[in-house]
Amino acid sequence: LIIFDVITVPLIAFDLPDTTLWRAVGWFSLVFWSCDLPANFLIGFHDHDAVVDMRPSKVARRYITTWFLLDFVLVFCDWVMTVLTEVG
């Protein structure tokens, strides 16, 4: 799915035809990344001693202080663009 996004996001600038396949794959991508956001709160990490830490409070703190903001902004922008496209 990352490869799909890497290829298709730059193609947005070229006004591609709006086919059912593109819309379905776009919705699948949006739903996948939306589900991935809360799922990241359940994924452990290696601490400085190379031990996998699965404590929910530590995992949440680590995610929020590292990738959460970027993930949230990207998913939020994707939802806004999708809603504006579907409504307009």
Side-chain angles (χ1 to χ4, degrees):
L1 204 50
I2 290 175
I3 293 171
F4 170 79
D5 285 345
V6 167
I7 293 170
T8 59
V9 168
L11 292 176
I12 293 171
F14 295 107
D15 196 27
L16 297 172
D18 189 25
T19 65
T20 304
L21 177 64
W22 278 113
R23 290 179 66 165
V25 173
W27 273 102
F28 177 78
S29 175
L30 178 60
V31 169
F32 175 85
W33 292 120
S34 297
C35 292
D36 183 62
L37 195 66
N40 280 305
F41 284 98
L42 305 174
I43 298 172
F45 64 94
H46 293 277
D47 65 7
H48 58 276
D49 295 325
V51 176
V52 177
D53 195 339
M54 294 293 295
R55 292 176 288 182
S57 62
K58 296 281 186 179
V59 170
R61 185 176 305 126
R62 170 83 173 221
Y63 181 50
I64 287 173
T65 59
T66 55
W67 289 102
F68 176 75
L69 183 60
L70 178 64
D71 289 348
F72 179 80
V73 168
L74 291 173
V75 170
F76 179 78
C77 289
D78 205 5
W79 271 107
V80 168
M81 292 301 296
T82 300
V83 168
L84 292 176
T85 302
E86 293 294 324
V87 170

